Amino acid sequence: MLNSKIYNRTISHKYTPEFQRNSDIHTMAWVIEPEQWEQHDPFLVMAHDQMRSGVFGVHPHRGIETVTYMIDGNLNHYDSKHGTGVLHPGDAQWMTAGRGVEHVEDAAPGELVNLLQLWVNIPAKQKMTAARYQDLRKDSMPQKVENGVSTKVFSGSVNGLTAPTLNITPVTMVEFKIAAGSESTPEIPGSYNGFLYVVKGSGTFGSEHTPGKAGEVLWLGLGKSAEISDIKIKAEEDMHVMLYAGEPIGEPVAARGPFVMNTEEEILQAFADYRNGTFLD
């Protein structure tokens, strides 16, 4: 049996993503850059997008789950399996592309949308599962406010709160809003790989009280052999921070454009299926 002692996580490294202007209506930063698959497993990429209507057209995905979190603005979305909807500030959406889905996300007309989108890898044996959409409304997710800390769980379990969200790869996703001087110590499985993204404010993180501020990404040190680990988070000023942690998959990654599989042959098959009209289930 694994050591049951709770292991206090450190922060292994941190960095500040640089925003780049892609067009007059789209600015983005790579919170997680592509192609560092082993280091970030099970996470593939994460973008912080600031955009107006017209950035993305309808496009396909296969072999991943995408997780969208709304910071500001309203986002219209469409997918080939479930139709249309709108995400509002504080909402999230968990899309399982699986075998294949076509979708589009577009800012409401006249609005500047500020959002985070994470791509989560799927194990090989489940990459061709049926597509699924889950809209995670901010007022419907498990949450509590205690001692200056607002905790909202969008996926997984933290400190007695468990989200009903279905995901293929086990992932914990939590929004914290912490008043200056307050602190939280969320627990996650020791085997999980994870990171924090500071949306607003500043504080200290981990067992060594590593400083972090708005716009910074802080990767968690490994949880060693502990069954359970925790992360100390303390706000120096009012802080909004997102925690993402997940079970590594440990499989090869082949990625090209919107498709993420395990081999180059599977990537070529995905493009062929899309061209031939046999892509969607």
Side-chain angles (χ1 to χ4, degrees), residues 82-94:
H82 297 99
T84 61
V86 182
L87 294 177
H88 307 291
D91 289 345
Q93 184 184 79
W94 206 285

Side-chain angles (χ1 to χ4, degrees), residues 153-164 171-174 186-189 192 243:
V153 181
F154 285 94
S155 178
S157 298
V158 161
N159 299 357
L161 298 174
T162 300
V171 170
T172 295
M173 173 184 170
V174 187
E187 296 180 358
I188 60 172
Y192 279 20
L243 166 66

Side-chain angles (χ1 to χ4, degrees), residues 174-221:
V174 187
E175 173 202 84
F176 294 100
K177 293 185 176 180
I178 307 176
S182 297
E183 60 185 74
S184 180
T185 309
E187 296 180 358
I188 60 172
S191 60
Y192 279 20
N193 194 18
F195 65 98
L196 299 137
Y197 185 59
V198 185
V199 178
K200 173 186 176 183
S202 64
T204 60
F205 302 85
S207 61
E208 298 176 348
H209 311 289
T210 303
K213 61 184 179 181
E216 289 188 333
V217 184
L218 300 99
W219 277 89
L220 305 179

